[in-house]
Amino acid sequence: MCGIVGAIAHRTVTPVLLEGLKRLEYRGYDSAGIAVLDQDHTLLRTRRIGKILELEAALQQAPLVGRIGIAHTRWATHGVPSERNAHPHVCRERVAVVHNGIVENYEALRGELQAKGYEFTSETDTEVIAHQIDVFLEQGLPLLKAVQATCGVLRGAFAIGVISSAHPRELVAARQGSPLVVGLGDSENYIASDVFALVAETQRFLFLEDGDTAVLTTDGVEIYDAAGAAVERPVHETRIAADAVERGEYRHYMQKEIHEQAIAVEKTLDGRYQGERLLDEAFGDTAAAIFDQVRNVQIVACGTSYHAGMVARYWMEEIAGVPCQVEVASEFRYRRHVVQPGTLFVTISQSGETADTLAALKQARLIGYTHTLAICNVPESSLVRESELALMTRAGPEIGVASTKAFTTQLTALLLLVIAIGKRNGISKEREVAIVRELHRLPSQIEQVLRLEPEIVKWAENFGDKKDALYLGRGMHYPVAMEGALKLKEISYIHAEAYPAGELKHGPLALIDDQMPVIAVAPNNELLEKLKSNLQEVQARGGELYVFADVNAPLESMAGVKLLRVAEVNDVLAPIIYTIPLQLLAYHVALIKGTDVDQPRNLAKSVTVE
Ligand code: F6R
């Protein structure tokens, strides 16, 4: 949450900062701001409530010109979204700070700083950082030392960028628990919350580690570790193209990303096979030896990625025959565990920066999970760097806050993992080859299910005035229903819940009336008859049923039910296919409701705070 960007150059940096903010807007969009030092080293700042466009308009009216600057797009944690609470926060026109993360001891620090005479103008936790740095500058410390000393008194997670009129040729950055990268330019250097923010400027990056501080000048970058010792961090070349985040002909990124799923899945599979046999090396050089020891799998993730993990649990136990547990990261990290010997600890994350998932991984290592694997979309992310093994989903940048192609590629990657582990646990060569053949048909099946869009648009019209919706599925389609409900609630703001269809009669049936649409996922599997009974229970109570069903599912007899037929698909892969119409339904309902599809209220894409 929150995006930060900073730059130092021999030209004015405002366009670099603005472009960076636009690319980081998915991380938060309730207010934005920018601060630069002008040629007289005067600190100038502009902040606006609302999206980056508001800030851009303000800067067109009154440009800020400076060769060093920092900028921020906010997702509020402490204090309402307002201009007063927007970053950068300044102290005495001398220090400006942008911050991503949470300072947990800010109240105590605020008290101490007020006692020293510092005045606070915001409700944020960040403002203490600006004042605390000023305290150390007053004591005569250079900017780097003042920032390092400040980091020493802060508790919590943070990534910060700092400029000071007293040190106009240095941009200082620090990272503790929140993501921060350094971009290397030609006589100019940058910081940002992620690589995307800077790909229009450079392809060369350094990744700061927790506890690192960095001093950027136009001549170079110096990095110091938590002990204050100078360190070298390797330079990485990114392959992300500057135009990889363009919206193209689509109305929203989410729509584009839904339609990219066939290609994305193809990329997930690319090169991971030799003939029809899965290559263990796809997971990392040491994967084969580690997989040989796996007797149990523990999956941890958040939100949509957690739903992918829930589907994988069915696969892992049914196909690989290996016990598998799945838990939400924010719960996993705060309870006691019995660690089963031979457990592979698997994290799933689109961004690879989700604070709870990262903390769960750290916790897992501490309590004795020896082998860790990340399923992730961002090779440069903290999660990948901190995991022993990793499988990249290769979905390409996902900008829409509601996750779509990340989910289907996670499922594809998880199925590869299931096969890799299953191979060692008795899954026959024939079964492996059969699944692999089906996987290769997946992109064309995705294309096919996307063709349901015009009919889904018509269905969506019935949802414009709805307040609630219920999603039903059974077996591995229960997590698919959960994912459908999550999509609807986050972008259309319609309250939606998912239930395993068999649970209806244990309570939720009481909710059914003619105002409650019920959306069901009905592939033609061994649970279809059971699901049909559950749907009849809904129908008998006047509920309005919308069913995504296999072409061969015998549901015609259910008069009054709205049916959309999905082409026949292999049972194992059905969760991937059936998710797609649910994404489309949520998208088109959101269009009718007129919500901000790509940047729904109160949310942000990369949840880097607890
Ligand atoms: C929902 C959504 C979120 C994320 C969750 C985890 O559409 O995108 O629920 O799935 O915040 O994010 P990652 O996968 O980046 O760890």
Side-chain angles (χ1 to χ4, degrees), residues 539-551:
Q539 215 180 13
R541 282 147 186 97
E544 202 179 349
L545 271 169
Y546 296 83
V547 184
F548 292 99
D550 182 277
V551 281

Side-chain angles (χ1 to χ4, degrees), residues 302-305 349-351 354 401-403 410 486-487 490 607:
C302 302
T304 287
S305 300
S349 174
Q350 188 284 127
S351 61
T354 301
V401 162
S403 205
Q410 282 169 350
L486 178 62
K487 290 292 88 102
E490 65 185 331
V607 188

